[in-house]
Amino acid sequence: MFKNVIWATDGSEAADHALAYAKALVDPAGGTLYVVHAEEHFYGGRSGGYPVLADEEDLKAKIRSQVAELRTGGLDVSLEIALGHPGQSAHAIAEFAREHGADVIVVGTRGLGPVHGLLVGSVTHRLLHTSPCPVFAVPASRVPADGETERELAGTARS
């Protein structure tokens, strides 16, 4: 179990699957789950920037709802919306981890092939190179089974 766990989410289904593992890794005796969403903005002129994703407000609403549900479940949860330039999500997450003494960052992967991942880029891949702590990458194919408990997931995480 870890004291400071980051669940990095982009609001995707892959990130949602990783949440079960993040919860399982938080020390129930005083651990904190930090939910970090990196919102990428295009900057130009005098504006404060424009979100890269057209549905950014919907994503943030979904994530806020997930955070509220986690708090209702008794977890100590903190939400951080990190603003940055396109392609800098991994750096924003790594910087947050550095500032908050994170023990582990939990992320979901989309299962992109190696060529597609290189061409499009991968936040998980970049995190592996910039993170100040271990990165726990949950493959898209590893969806928690119905009824699989957080204790069982934690056992899977440690094996």
Side-chain angles (χ1 to χ4, degrees):
M1 299 292 165
F2 298 98
K3 290 287 184 189
N4 295 313
V5 176
I6 291 178
W7 171 50
T9 180
D10 59 0
S12 68
E13 189 175 328
D16 291 348
H17 293 314
L19 175 56
Y21 291 90
K23 288 178 8 184
L25 292 173
V26 176
D27 185 346
T32 301
L33 177 62
Y34 294 98
V35 177
V36 179
H37 172 66
E39 181 180 349
E40 297 179 346
H41 277 234
F42 288 117
Y43 292 95
R46 296 179 181 196
S47 74
Y50 301 98
V52 170
L53 301 174
D55 64 346
E56 186 64 46
E57 289 307 313
D58 293 337
L59 288 174
K60 288 192 296 190
K62 173 189 173 185
I63 294 166
R64 284 186 182 105
S65 174
Q66 289 172 310
V67 167
E69 187 176 320
L70 291 165
R71 285 186 182 131
T72 301
L75 278 175
D76 180 13
V77 183
S78 177
L79 172 62
E80 172 74 15
I81 306 291
L83 300 178
H85 294 285
Q88 298 299 311
S89 292
H91 295 285
I93 295 164
E95 183 59 30
F96 183 88
R98 208 171 276 107
E99 291 171 1
H100 289 82
D103 298 311
V104 64
I105 300 171
V106 180
V107 293
T109 63
R110 293 199 175 121
L112 301 175
V115 173
H116 189 254
L118 282 173
L119 295 175
V120 175
S122 163
V123 172
T124 301
H125 186 261
R126 288 185 187 119
L127 270 173
L128 292 171
H129 296 284
T130 61
S131 174
C133 61
V135 177
F136 187 96
V138 179
S141 61
R142 181 55 178 114
V143 177
D146 286 339
E148 191 169 21
T149 67
E150 289 176 16
R151 184 177 301 274
E152 290 167 332
L153 289 173
T156 301
R158 285 191 287 266
S159 58

